[in-house]
Amino acid sequence: MTAYLDHAATTPARASALAAFAEVAAMPGNPSSLHAAGRAVRRVVEESRESLAADLGAHPTEVVLTSGGTEADNLAVAGAFRARRAADPRRRRILLSPIEHHAVLDTVEHLVRAAGATVTWLDVDRQGLVSVAGLREAIATDPGSVALVSVMWANNEIGTVEPIGELAAVAHEHGIPLHTDAVQAFGHVPLDVHDVGADLVSVTAHKLGGPVGFGALVVRRDIALEPLTHGGGQERGLRSGTLAAAGARAFAVAAHEAVGSRESESARIVGLRDRLLRGAVALDEGIAVTGAWQAGDGLRRLPGNAHVIVEGADGESLLLLLDAAGIACSTGSACAAGVSRPSHVLTAIGYADAEARGALRLTLGHTSTDADVDAVLAVLPDVVTRSRAAVGVGA
């Protein structure tokens, strides 16, 4: 592999996180056991929770450990909906942006089918920015019917960072909780749960250099959730199951390293991203940047996100041709891999199906270098030409 540019799908694990995982995985004992071995492992879990809480701007008691972002999203959305509706049957509406990750969208779809939920879609602009005024208007039509607002912190495809603090403030005017999927944001943009005021925040380890299979949900202490799993009553009774001490430690180590180096790494990665985007556009191959992009800015767009649309090309063929050239990237969310259809994110922000099919997501991270950017720009003209020929454009 010449260049790995799919950090938004999974970022390569940090050496420090792998070492921490191996060290704790070798320890005997169940964190729920009362003997010395169990207490030692439990100490690892709680120290890891404290570290994660500090890096998230939360209290340790608010951090519920999960198997990743998808479980955290499910617990937040379904758990909050069911608890809020149980307290007041009028609360059936979920206010949702149409560009959410499928972990949120599909959970809401299940609640519509099985639990009587209804959806009010929030307005987004061409850059994928959720309208604060639109949220206010959506709530105002019937505040008492709203169970939950869910808007992701940063979009996993086009990289747009949302005004979560403003959105949370509007929701709180009516006592409505706000959930945000911060899977792509944590460790990459400034993120302080308490300062922003989000009530439920989903994060995961493998987007910032931790191992796959470990995540967390920040649950503000006054928020009621109905658990999705039942058993030993771990994690405040919200997520039963034996605690994964090795994963918790590896997650905490990776997160602390990512947050600690965020400012300097953001500046470095933004420089690579901007060179990649400028270079791609300058090829004069009909390549256009999607989302909010201003050179040098790593706050309104994820620092490592270089999402583009290639006119007249097919995203899947672009991906396969780049892969053959030793470059790993994607056409969108890896969680929807194998499904050949236009991105719901791009169609929601106004792109036609034909345009959306030419999407390409190149994402950089802590292992990325100038050589990676050079490798992409060197092969992109030929890749675009061959992709268009495959779909009968420009042949």
Side-chain angles (χ1 to χ4, degrees):
M1 183 61 64
T2 302
Y4 184 81
L5 283 94
D6 203 15
H7 284 255
T10 289
T11 236
R14 298 172 187 269
S16 56
L18 292 176
F21 186 95
E23 177 186 357
V24 177
M27 295 173 65
N30 185 313
S32 296
S33 297
L34 298 181
H35 49 60
R39 294 197 304 273
V41 178
R42 182 69 187 214
R43 187 178 305 114
V44 169
V45 171
E46 296 311 324
E47 288 173 353
S48 301
R49 192 193 311 276
E50 290 171 4
S51 178
L52 283 168
D55 287 326
L56 284 160
H59 190 276
T61 60
E62 297 173 318
V63 177
V64 175
L65 300 173
T66 70
S67 64
T70 294
E71 184 188 352
D73 282 342
N74 275 254
L75 177 58
V77 175
F81 175 83
R82 292 181 185 278
R84 292 264 297 165
R85 192 169 183 204
D88 185 343
R90 296 178 303 161
R91 295 170 177 161
R92 299 178 56 203
R93 275 204 300 157
I94 299 174
L95 276 51
L96 193 66
S97 96
I99 61 171
E100 296 299 299
H101 190 279
H102 276 290
V104 169
L105 293 176
D106 290 1
T107 301
V108 171
E109 183 180 327
H110 169 75
L111 292 171
V112 170
R113 292 195 312 266
T118 63
V119 180
T120 298
W121 298 105
L122 299 174
D123 294 334
V124 291
D125 65 15
R126 182 74 168 183
Q127 295 183 332
L129 204 63
V130 175
S131 167
V132 176
L135 174 62
R136 190 182 300 278
E137 292 172 8
I139 292 174
T141 60
D142 187 2
S145 68
V146 181
L148 178 72
V149 177
S150 185
V151 176
M152 67 197 321
W153 200 301
N155 188 264
N156 56 301
E157 292 192 27
I158 60 175
T160 299
V161 178
E162 303 292 350
I164 297 300
E166 296 177 60
L167 296 168
V170 170
H172 292 166
E173 289 173 8
H174 301 276
I176 300 166
L178 179 137
H179 163 253
T180 182
D181 178 331
V183 161
Q184 295 288 340
F186 185 33
H188 302 290
V189 295
L191 190 153
D192 188 298
V193 171
H194 283 174
D195 279 356
V196 168
D199 303 286
L200 297 155
V201 182
S202 304
V203 293
T204 198
H206 74 110
K207 306 294 189 181
L208 46 71
V212 174
F214 306 98
L217 176 66
V218 179
V219 184
R220 206 180 70 194
R221 282 170 282 184
D222 59 347
I223 297 296
L225 291 183
E226 183 175 308
L228 305 184
T229 57
H230 306 275
Q234 291 90 346
E235 300 301 276
R236 294 164 45 191
L238 295 176
R239 202 269 183 179
S240 290
T242 301
L243 295 168
R249 170 61 65 81
F251 186 8
V253 166
H256 194 64
E257 189 173 308
V259 171
S261 62
R262 187 194 59 76
E263 288 191 22
S264 59
E265 267 296 273
S266 175
R268 184 184 76 85
I269 293 171
V270 163
L272 294 176
R273 179 203 70 191
D274 290 347
R275 192 164 79 81
L276 176 56
L277 288 175
R278 285 197 191 101
V281 172
L283 293 172
D284 197 25
E285 292 284 352
I287 299 173
V289 181
T290 62
W293 176 46
Q294 181 177 336
D297 172 55
L299 298 177
R300 290 177 295 177
R301 184 191 187 104
L302 288 172
N305 181 283
H307 189 282
V308 297
I309 286 181
V310 184
E311 182 183 355
D314 173 74
E316 186 175 344
S317 66
L318 290 169
L319 182 154
L320 294 174
L321 288 164
L322 284 167
D323 184 53
I327 294 163
C329 61
S330 78
T331 58
S333 170
C335 300
V339 180
S340 180
R341 61 171 180 256
S343 160
H344 72 280
V345 172
L346 295 180
T347 55
I349 64 176
Y351 286 91
D353 283 3
E355 295 175 296
R357 290 187 186 277
L360 190 64
R361 186 183 71 173
L362 303 151
T363 48
L364 305 106
H366 70 98
T367 63
S368 299
T369 65
D370 280 302
D372 295 331
V373 175
D374 293 339
V376 175
L377 295 178
V379 302
L380 201 51
D382 181 60
V383 164
V384 170
T385 298
R386 292 171 65 188
S387 174
R388 286 179 176 148
V391 294
V393 176

